[in-house]
Amino acid sequence: MRMYDLIMKKKHGGTLTDTEIRFLVNGYTKDEIPDYQMSAFLMAVCFHGMNEAETLSLTMAMAESGELLDLSAIHGKKADKHSTGGVGDKTSLILGPMVASLGVPVAKMSGRGLGHTGGTIDKLESFPGFSVSISNQTFIDNVNRMKLAIMGQTADLAPADKKLYALRDVTATVDQLSLIAGSIMSKKLAAGADVIVLDVKAGSGAFMKTYEDARALAETMVKIGNGAGRKTYAVISDMNQPLGYAVGNILEVKEAIEALNGRAPEDLSDACMALASYMLLGAGRVKEIAEARELLAETIRSGKALTKFAEFVKAQGGDERFVYEPDRFSKASLTGEVKAQTDGFISAMNTEEIGLTSLLLGGGRETKESEIDLTVGIVFKKKIGAKVQKGDTIAVLHANDREKLSAAASRLQKAITIGQTPVTPIPHILGVVEQA
Ligand code: URA
């Protein structure tokens, strides 16, 4: 088999066999196929696409290119949740303990934030002592003992995707549906859960800017997951404004703790309820979504989810006193306000810009090696649909550097649009894909 022939086949719109796809993924991972040939192939995929079978083969080949986490020692059906990346998304911190406190094992592999979106691991590391660098054995033991563990992605998880993603990033071949779906699902399949619930974001802060694109991605990923024998669902959610009010690591952890105490903003609560319900349904803990919602609401009312969160933080080395006394968290030294410049209604929030503003304050990584400042970020007072008067505070910025604070304030001001006509707030959950 020659890579040249496979490039030619795809260039003419042909369909590759499973053997051919495995040949090129394995060859590229082992450095037997050079970047220039793989780049040409990826571009041909951008022009001609891949069908369902090809997409599944690509995903499986990438998943099997490294370690496949064996979670068979965990009792019961293990659930995982994955978001395609959002701003202010702290759902994992809330729904993990909610689902675990109902006896469903949550075995989650998470990533760090990169670009304008935040990552669960950085948020968890806000707890002094907390570690996600736990061994596979500790991960399994913790899930068996208390139904919840979160570990960082290991270097050997889907290495083919890692190499291909880096190449896509520099050859303008990231935004192709099969390539994105395969990339995300290869890591999820390798991470071993039986139930995968995907949160596919749509809007100005998301990878997929429109509902239609998000839905197509969601359907493709659900097909891959089910095709690989995992119960897979996708929730499509709005990312035209940040989720909840807080953006930035410690600020988001505090909002998550508030949510576990029963004081979640509506959109955040809707997101957690929708995603967690499908985790329970997929694991067979409930027969219907309505039953799941009742049980989940009770985990908050009874305080069981909060206690589970504290137990989880402690088990991974963190100081659980911070869960009960969030004032213990460090604070940024400076604050500044962004105010309404005119009377009206908030009609749009450029959410990618909001994520980048938090990054500018030091809350995210510009490169993989960047150190992040856990204390900085933004707390919104108003979101889309809110009526404002000139001078009302829309957001409070938390910073440790005066210059960055002032640059961030003017950037954030530009990201918020105030219109003259009333605006209906956007529902957070836009759709669900149960079966593709
Ligand atoms: N996230 C991934 O992991 N891969 C993609 O291709 C896009 C987003």
Side-chain angles (χ1 to χ4, degrees):
M1 205 177 289
R2 291 192 319 156
M3 184 63 183
Y4 179 92
D5 299 324
L6 303 185
I7 299 169
M8 184 67 88
K9 194 170 179 186
K10 192 43 88 182
K11 183 175 117 175
H12 291 299
T15 303
L16 270 62
T17 65
D18 185 64
T19 312
E20 287 169 336
I21 289 177
R22 282 178 187 273
F23 167 82
L24 63 88
V25 170
N26 294 338
Y28 186 61
T29 312
K30 288 193 223 142
D31 290 330
E32 289 163 8
I33 291 171
D35 282 350
Y36 52 82
Q37 283 192 311
M38 186 52 92
S39 307
F41 177 76
L42 291 170
M43 193 54 84
V45 171
C46 286
F47 289 131
H48 293 289
M50 280 184 148
N51 70 18
E52 223 173 277
E54 289 177 296
T55 308
L56 182 58
S57 294
L58 173 74
T59 311
M60 295 312 294
M62 292 198 294
E64 289 164 11
S65 66
E67 179 191 22
L68 293 173
L69 214 60
D70 178 8
L71 301 183
S72 57
I74 296 178
H75 318 303
K77 288 217 167 120
K78 299 140 300 268
D80 190 2
K81 168 251 155 189
H82 177 82
S83 150
T84 57
V87 177
D89 184 356
K90 65 282 291 175
T91 51
S92 293
L93 274 52
I94 307 161
L95 61 80
M98 288 169 85
V99 171
S101 70
L102 289 167
V104 171
V106 180
K108 183 161 169 46
M109 248 198 201
S110 285
R112 294 188 182 278
L114 188 63
H116 72 282
T117 65
T120 300
I121 291 182
D122 299 322
K123 288 167 206 174
L124 285 169
E125 285 177 350
S126 300
F127 288 97
F130 191 97
S131 173
V132 288
S133 309
I134 52 176
S135 66
N136 290 1
Q137 195 54 49
T138 306
F139 183 67
I140 290 170
D141 290 346
N142 285 7
V143 180
N144 273 336
R145 200 174 67 253
M146 51 179 207
K147 306 291 177 210
L148 176 59
I150 298 183
M151 75 190 283
Q153 221 158 278
T154 58
D156 200 33
L157 193 91
D161 171 62
K162 203 174 200 177
K163 203 163 173 230
L164 275 166
Y165 191 87
L167 185 65
R168 286 166 59 211
D169 208 18
V170 293
T171 54
T173 53
V174 169
D175 58 349
Q176 201 284 330
L177 195 75
S178 293
L179 299 179
I180 298 173
S183 165
I184 293 174
M185 290 306 288
S186 64
K187 288 172 281 203
K188 287 289 111 184
L189 296 178
D194 306 302
V195 180
I196 300 168
V197 179
L198 302 159
D199 182 3
V200 182
K201 312 276 194 193
S204 64
F207 217 57
M208 295 295 175
K209 303 291 178 206
T210 67
Y211 174 76
E212 290 69 30
D213 285 352
R215 179 137 203 127
L217 178 62
E219 285 175 357
T220 305
M221 292 198 290
V222 168
K223 265 187 209 147
I224 294 172
N226 289 333
R230 315 291 173 89
K231 194 86 205 121
T232 309
Y233 301 100
V235 171
I236 302 160
S237 65
D238 177 69
M239 199 24 74
N240 282 302
Q241 58 184 343
L243 182 54
Y245 289 97
V247 179
N249 294 285
I250 286 177
L251 299 171
E252 290 190 41
V253 170
K254 285 180 159 179
E255 189 171 51
I257 293 171
E258 279 290 287
L260 287 165
N261 277 295
R263 295 183 290 272
E266 195 178 333
D267 58 349
L268 183 56
S269 169
D270 287 351
C272 293
M273 281 300 217
L275 295 163
S277 303
Y278 281 98
M279 290 167 87
L280 296 185
L281 187 71
R285 176 68 175 75
V286 295
K287 295 250 170 331
E288 307 180 344
I289 290 297
E291 185 191 353
R293 287 181 164 271
E294 270 176 40
L295 292 174
L296 289 164
E298 183 54 25
T299 67
I300 300 289
R301 273 197 298 271
S302 63
K304 282 194 182 136
L306 183 72
T307 311
K308 180 59 72 184
F309 187 52
E311 189 188 353
F312 153 72
V313 166
K314 186 176 176 193
Q316 293 196 212
D319 187 339
E320 86 275 22
R321 290 174 305 172
F322 284 60
V323 174
Y324 298 110
E325 299 160 41
D327 275 344
R328 285 180 177 269
F329 282 110
S330 305
K331 291 183 185 65
S333 55
L334 306 167
T335 56
E337 296 190 352
V338 167
K339 294 177 190 278
Q341 307 278 8
T342 171
D343 293 355
F345 300 86
I346 299 186
S347 58
M349 297 174 99
N350 183 332
T351 310
E352 184 167 349
E353 272 299 296
I354 293 170
L356 290 171
T357 303
S358 177
L359 191 120
L360 178 72
L361 288 167
R365 282 187 187 76
E366 308 231 16
T367 69
K368 271 194 208 151
E369 287 71 35
S370 307
E371 282 275 318
I372 58 174
D373 183 342
L374 296 166
T375 62
V376 300
I378 310 163
V379 177
F380 286 89
K381 300 289 169 195
K382 314 258 184 211
K383 297 213 307 184
I384 292 180
K387 186 174 183 198
V388 290
Q389 288 190 325
K390 186 174 177 184
D392 282 354
T393 302
I394 295 176
V396 179
L397 296 152
H398 295 248
N400 285 314
D401 178 305
R402 241 170 238 296
E403 263 176 43
K404 285 185 183 169
L405 176 62
S406 126
S410 54
R411 190 160 186 166
L412 188 57
Q413 192 92 55
K414 290 191 202 104
I416 296 162
T417 310
I418 298 177
Q420 293 313 307
T421 43
V423 178
T424 314
I426 319 162
H428 184 64
I429 305 298
L430 304 172
V432 177
V433 179
E434 294 194 6
Q435 197 77 50

